[in-house]
């Protein structure tokens, strides 16, 4: 019987890259029943709600979703759909691998690191206000609970040890935000003694940003709070060739929402320019999560082979002879089936 999976196309390049991912996943022969659900600006325009109840009900039912990026207004507009979804379903671990891919010209071709970002707390508490009617100052409240910090640090150590990784680095700003970010440091230091086979160290976030640019291979699994993880994972995507290549998973218990690290890319939307790799690799993570390990391997091998060959890749990878999203997707589909 087909396994139901919620498909959220999202906004901007979202529909194009999720369509690509569906085609690539289906080429593996896996039996999935896609249940399409709206979110983001598209949902707001069609239903007056960026995250309709029907979408939440679908995800609650299927427990697994493949999601395209959704628009979030800068300064004003509706609350972030992503933050809402992650909080609604306690998808507390945002797993964002950055791996140098074959055939992709980038700063660090051999890089292989994973950012594990706490996904539900910190400065993403949705508690912000002006202090007066003149808007003379703004306040945002950051909350990091001991239980959520323990949960994410445990996830990172378990992730590292179960996948044979060598090291965990906790990133914080405990020299200034001594309580808000000192908590994850304290917990990670204590928990590290339970994992004697893993190296463990810590970095202050500003130093971490510099060291990631200068010498990223000293790191392996990075665990950090919400905002730092958001920023550092984009930085890491830049190290391996850009946002079009970095997948992400939002995990909590048996539930998972899989998506690209990138956003809606309004500058290239509707132009057949988007690189589908990141959302297809998010599909690989989704297949692994669902236990379809052979299909995941075959799909990943097909993506890597198309990238390595370099003939059917989008222009962010090959600016002179790149092809469109559709042609790259077709090459991946053909490779999966061959
Ligand atoms: P963005 O990731 O959409 O784009 C940044 C740059 O990367 C752009 O130049 C874009 O063209 C390029 N890019 C992104 N994805 C690409 C791809 N697949 N192939 C080739 N190039 C690609 O970031 P932004 O412009 O800061 O944000 C646009 C919108 O997306 C905002 O509304 C933001 O809130 C939203 N956003 C959503 C998510 C999500 O839903 N998970 C994540 C990040 C941003």
């Amino acid at each position: 019987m087909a396994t139901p999976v919620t498909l959220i196309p999202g906004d901007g390049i979202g529909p194009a890259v999720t369509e690509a991912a569906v085609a690539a996943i289906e080429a593996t022969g896996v039996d999935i029943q896609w249940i399409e659900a709206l979110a983001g600006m598209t949902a707001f325009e069609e239903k007056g709600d960026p995250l309709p109840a029907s979408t939440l009900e679908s995800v609650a039912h299927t427990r697994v979703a493949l999601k395209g990026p959704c628009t979030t207004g800068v300064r004003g507009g509706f609350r972030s759909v992503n933050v809402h979804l992650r909080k609604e379903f306690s998808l507390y671990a945002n797993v964002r691998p950055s791996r140098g891919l074959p055939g992709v010209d980038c700063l660090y071709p051999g890089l292989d690191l994973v950012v594990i970002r706490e996904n539900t707390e910190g400065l993403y508490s949705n508690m912000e206000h002006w202090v007066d009617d003149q808007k003379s100052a703004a306040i945002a409240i950051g909350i990091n609970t001991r239980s959520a910090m323990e949960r994410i640090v445990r996830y990172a150590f378990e992730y590292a040890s179960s996948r044979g990784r060598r090291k965990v680095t906790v990133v914080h700003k405990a020299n200034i935000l001594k309580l808000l970010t000192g908590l994850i440091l304290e917990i990670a230091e204590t928990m590290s003694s339970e994992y004697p086979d893993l190296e463990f160290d810590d970095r202050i976030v500003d130093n971490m940003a510099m060291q990631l640019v200068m010498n990223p291979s000293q790191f392996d699994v990075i665990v950090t709070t919400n905002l730092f993880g958001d920023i550092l994972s984009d930085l890491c995507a830049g190290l391996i060739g850009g946002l079009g290549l970095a997948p992400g998973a939002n995990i909590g218990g048996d539930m998972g929402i899989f998506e690209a690290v990138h956003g809606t890319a309004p500058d290239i939307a509707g132009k057949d320019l988007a690189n589908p790799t990141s959302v297809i690799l998010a599909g690989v993570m989704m297949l692994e999560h669902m236990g379809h390990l052979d299909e995941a391997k075959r799909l990943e091998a097909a993506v890597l082979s198309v990238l390595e060959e370099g003939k059917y890749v989008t222009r962010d990878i090959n600016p002179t002879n790149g092809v469109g999203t559709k042609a790259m997707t077709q090459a991946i589909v053909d490779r999966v089936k061959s």
Side-chain angles (χ1 to χ4, degrees):
M1 206 177 86
T3 312
V5 169
T6 303
L7 176 69
I8 302 174
D11 304 318
I13 61 170
V17 291
T18 50
E19 188 184 309
V22 167
I25 291 167
E26 293 211 322
T28 68
V30 72
D31 198 7
I32 287 177
Q33 179 201 2
W34 300 99
I35 299 171
E36 205 166 311
L38 291 178
M41 190 56 85
T42 324
F44 186 68
E45 283 166 2
E46 275 188 36
K47 301 205 164 191
D49 183 350
L51 191 53
S54 53
T55 299
L56 290 172
E57 278 158 22
S58 175
V59 178
H61 170 68
T62 61
R63 324 290 293 166
V64 185
L66 184 68
K67 178 184 159 295
C70 295
T71 306
T72 310
V74 174
R75 289 195 293 273
F78 51 74
R79 179 186 176 196
S80 163
V81 163
N82 304 309
V83 174
H84 191 162
L85 272 172
R86 292 162 189 167
K87 285 198 177 171
E88 179 76 24
F89 296 112
S90 284
L91 302 171
Y92 65 91
N94 188 194
V95 181
R96 293 181 161 182
S98 282
R99 187 157 52 113
L101 298 169
V104 177
D105 189 22
C106 67
L107 292 170
Y108 294 99
L111 193 66
D112 177 12
L113 50 79
V114 183
V115 175
I116 295 183
R117 159 194 178 198
E118 202 293 319
N119 221 9
T120 59
E121 297 198 335
L123 279 159
Y124 291 63
S125 67
N126 202 30
M127 284 187 268
E128 271 193 300
H129 60 267
W130 296 109
V131 294
D132 57 24
D133 291 343
Q134 288 72 46
K135 300 185 176 176
S136 46
I139 293 177
I141 297 173
I143 302 172
N144 283 332
T145 61
R146 186 170 289 278
S147 58
M149 295 305 107
E150 279 172 355
R151 188 169 68 166
I152 194 68
V153 171
R154 178 69 69 194
Y155 186 94
F157 276 113
E158 285 296 315
Y159 181 97
S161 71
S162 64
R163 285 169 173 76
R165 316 271 325 194
R166 66 186 158 84
K167 180 176 173 183
V168 173
T169 301
V170 64
V171 178
H172 58 88
K173 184 73 186 171
N175 53 333
I176 306 294
L177 295 164
K178 294 178 198 290
L179 307 185
L180 188 69
T181 78
L183 185 56
I184 194 169
L185 173 62
E186 176 207 310
I187 287 166
E189 278 175 343
T190 307
M191 209 178 280
S192 66
S193 64
E194 295 177 41
Y195 297 86
D197 294 340
L198 291 170
E199 281 176 61
F200 169 75
D201 63 5
D202 74 278
R203 291 287 187 286
I204 293 173
V205 65
D206 36 345
N207 177 26
M208 183 69 180
M210 186 274 292
Q211 292 200 26
L212 275 170
V213 173
M214 301 288 289
N215 179 18
S217 55
Q218 66 183 296
F219 303 111
D220 187 15
V221 174
I222 296 161
V223 61
T224 189
T225 48
N226 205 338
L227 180 61
F228 298 159
D230 198 2
I231 297 168
L232 292 180
S233 55
D234 266 38
L235 189 158
C236 291
L239 303 177
I240 54 119
L243 282 169
L245 300 160
N250 303 283
I251 304 287
D254 68 330
M255 292 188 76
I257 296 185
F258 298 82
E259 61 183 340
V261 170
H262 64 70
T264 59
D267 52 335
I268 57 167
K271 297 181 180 165
D272 197 34
L273 285 174
N275 186 341
T277 302
S278 42
V279 75
I280 295 177
L281 291 179
V284 170
M285 295 174 84
M286 184 187 89
L287 289 175
E288 284 169 356
H289 172 85
M290 294 170 72
H292 298 298
L293 302 184
D294 288 346
E295 289 85 349
K297 266 199 195 105
R298 276 173 45 226
L299 179 53
E300 184 180 60
V303 174
L304 300 192
S305 153
V306 166
L307 287 170
E308 188 165 24
E309 186 188 54
K311 223 165 136 188
Y312 299 102
V313 294
T314 44
R315 293 196 185 93
D316 53 318
I317 301 177
N318 184 346
T320 39
N321 294 315
V323 299
T325 312
K326 289 196 174 86
M328 182 170 181
T329 305
Q330 192 55 51
I332 293 170
V333 166
D334 292 344
R335 207 61 53 95
V336 174
K337 289 183 174 168
S338 69

